[in-house]
Amino acid sequence: MVDLKGQYLHIAGEVNEAIQSVIDNTAFINGPAVKEFAGALADYTGAGYVIPCGNGTDALQLAMMALNLQPGDEVIVPSFTYVATVEVIALLGLKPIFVDSDPETFNLDISAIRKLINKKTKAVVPVHLFGQCADMDSLLSLADEFGLHIIEDTAQALGAEYISSDGTRKKAGTIGTIGTTSFFPSKNLGCYGDGGAIFTNDESLATTLRAMANHGQFKKYHHDLIGVNSRLDTIQAAILNVKLKQLDTYAANRNKAAEMYDKALAGVEGIEIPHREEKSTHVFHQYTLKVKNNKRDELRGFLKERGIPSMIYYPVPLHLQKAYKAYGYKKGDYPVAERLSEEVLSLPMHTELEENQITYITEQIKSFFNA
Ligand SMILES: Cc1ncc(COP(=O)(O)O)c(C=O)c1O
């Protein structure tokens, strides 16, 4: 599904040098590369403040802690997404209120949100799924109307741009109250271990977030807040400093691959290629097909036999996961999320895909459908 080794080989000299320089000066925690990376990522995204942290899950947790969400507060979150988004809600004693998905974009269904809002609702977490932004204009106007926080989970969409109705362009993660992202190795900007970051334009939130990620201290050994230990390792920051310079090229490579897939697969009966949103650029964290007529698993097996990997992101929507049973959701509550979990199939998507590989993959898919 990814080719991290191939990607590394293009930048090996620079990466090795960056790692060696961290080892040479032994500032493994909060070394100069961390600050340098936070600055470079702020410049790249246009975010007022960037707070590096341990991983994308911590970033979400820290966002909710810094917004002072209290046990019992309700947070609206899509059911069709990765578990991290809801996990931290549950851990903080907040209540996840699931929302169904848009069947075309895979992002949360904005039209279903209003009826879920009540006095306890404090925040909405749009996840910019698979690399394309959720409808932020509509979310911002809902947030304004009801006084809600918007936490953008940008783990899969770093670098994507949202184009507002007034034509302004902003990077995913910098539009809501707080944005979060992950540098998990297979992410569009991946490090060589765990890593994450938080974005905000609010200076006082940034100050709180920075302290909370470091045991709640503004001054060493003076703990004014309850915090956590969530830091980006200096070695990871040094690697990310090298890779951030490549991020737009990586996105372009992914888009080139997506266009080849699109061209070969458009019109093949039995599958739907990914929908492109007008108001967002796409960074193709995943290239996800919808496979109709209950053929998804059969197609997956067929591809596997021919040496082609594929993945199901995600096979069980969050409202039906065992761990979240106590919230009382049941089958049928979110029909689109449930249908998507039966239809989606993600194809290999990374920066090193070659034309002949895509041709082979798409030829096999077409042969499955006799197209
Ligand atoms: C949408 C989404 N949110 C959050 C995360 C969590 O990030 P991490 O693995 O860095 O904790 C991920 C990916 O892993 C993700 O895909």
Side-chain angles (χ1 to χ4, degrees):
M1 294 296 286
V2 294
D3 180 5
L4 297 179
K5 183 73 184 283
Q7 192 190 55
Y8 163 71
L9 290 175
H10 291 297
I11 51 173
E14 238 187 309
V15 166
N16 295 352
E17 209 178 290
I19 294 173
Q20 190 59 50
S21 84
V22 177
I23 296 170
D24 288 343
N25 83 11
T26 67
F28 297 117
I29 302 287
N30 275 335
V34 179
K35 205 163 174 197
E36 189 190 326
F37 174 62
L41 192 57
D43 288 346
Y44 175 82
T45 56
Y49 306 91
V50 171
I51 298 98
C53 65
N55 56 68
T57 309
D58 281 0
L60 285 160
Q61 178 173 336
L62 285 160
M64 289 177 206
M65 287 167 62
L67 291 170
N68 201 23
L69 302 190
Q70 296 296 318
D73 285 349
E74 295 187 359
V75 180
I76 296 173
V77 58
S79 175
F80 185 68
T81 187
Y82 185 60
V83 69
T85 323
V86 70
E87 195 167 49
V88 297
I89 295 174
L91 282 171
L92 293 173
L94 312 171
K95 188 170 176 202
I97 302 296
F98 291 112
V99 63
D100 213 349
S101 297
D102 179 298
E104 299 302 326
T105 65
F106 307 116
N107 276 321
L108 79 185
D109 177 2
I110 302 290
S111 70
I113 293 180
R114 180 176 288 272
K115 59 178 182 292
L116 302 173
I117 298 173
N118 63 51
K119 284 204 296 278
K120 288 185 177 169
T121 313
K122 293 289 154 48
V124 184
V125 186
V127 182
H128 302 309
L129 205 66
F130 302 154
Q132 196 166 227
C133 295
D135 176 358
M136 292 304 291
D137 279 342
S138 305
L139 271 173
L140 289 180
S141 88
L142 270 178
D144 218 31
E145 185 179 343
F146 295 99
L148 307 175
H149 298 300
I150 303 287
I151 302 167
E152 297 174 68
D153 185 339
T154 313
Q156 301 188 5
L158 193 62
E161 252 180 357
Y162 182 73
I163 304 118
S164 288
S165 320
D166 66 5
T168 51
R169 298 171 83 96
K170 281 188 186 163
K171 284 275 189 330
T174 68
I175 307 158
T177 328
I178 296 183
T180 64
T181 200
S182 161
F183 306 122
F184 185 81
S186 62
K187 292 289 190 262
N188 287 35
L189 179 62
C191 59
Y192 295 175
D194 275 313
I198 310 167
F199 309 104
T200 185
N201 294 317
D202 179 324
E203 188 180 357
S204 101
L205 265 180
T207 308
T208 305
L209 283 160
R210 219 170 270 126
M212 278 182 162
N214 188 21
H215 299 291
Q217 56 192 352
F218 293 96
K219 196 172 142 195
K220 208 165 172 62
Y221 302 124
H222 292 72
H223 306 276
D224 294 0
L225 303 167
I226 297 178
V228 296
N229 174 12
S230 184
R231 297 177 291 227
L232 181 67
D233 288 351
T234 311
I235 284 183
Q236 300 304 341
I239 294 162
L240 287 165
N241 275 327
V242 175
K243 291 189 74 182
L244 179 58
K245 291 184 275 176
Q246 304 294 330
L247 185 56
D248 284 342
T249 308
Y250 290 162
N253 289 355
R254 288 171 178 274
N255 268 280
K256 209 168 129 206
E259 273 157 32
M260 283 190 258
Y261 275 135
D262 276 0
K263 211 166 143 204
L265 297 175
V268 173
E269 208 161 326
I271 51 176
E272 273 181 37
I273 60 172
H275 170 86
R276 311 287 191 103
E277 260 301 289
E278 257 174 43
K279 289 175 79 177
S280 174
T281 63
H282 206 320
V283 292
F284 283 101
H285 179 57
Q286 298 299 341
Y287 185 91
T288 304
L289 297 173
K290 283 188 281 183
V291 185
K292 301 296 180 182
N293 312 314
N294 288 320
K295 291 277 190 197
R296 193 261 314 267
D297 294 345
E298 203 183 316
L299 171 61
R300 190 168 185 228
F302 179 89
L303 294 176
K304 190 174 173 208
E305 278 167 21
R306 286 153 184 79
I308 300 168
S310 62
M311 285 293 282
I312 298 166
Y313 305 114
Y314 297 92
V316 182
L318 297 178
H319 70 282
L320 298 179
Q321 294 281 358
K322 211 162 143 191
Y324 301 99
K325 218 170 137 188
Y327 295 108
Y329 294 100
K330 58 183 188 315
K331 206 165 164 56
D333 284 347
Y334 300 102
V336 177
E338 289 168 27
R339 195 172 70 238
L340 288 177
S341 68
E342 287 164 7
E343 291 183 348
V344 287
L345 191 66
S346 297
L347 300 181
M349 171 51 78
H350 53 85
T351 56
E352 313 303 310
L353 272 174
E354 282 169 15
E355 195 168 343
N356 63 345
Q357 293 174 307
I358 294 179
T359 304
Y360 176 66
I361 294 167
T362 54
E363 284 306 318
Q364 296 308 315
I365 294 173
K366 286 202 270 194
S367 83
F368 177 84
F369 289 105
N370 300 315

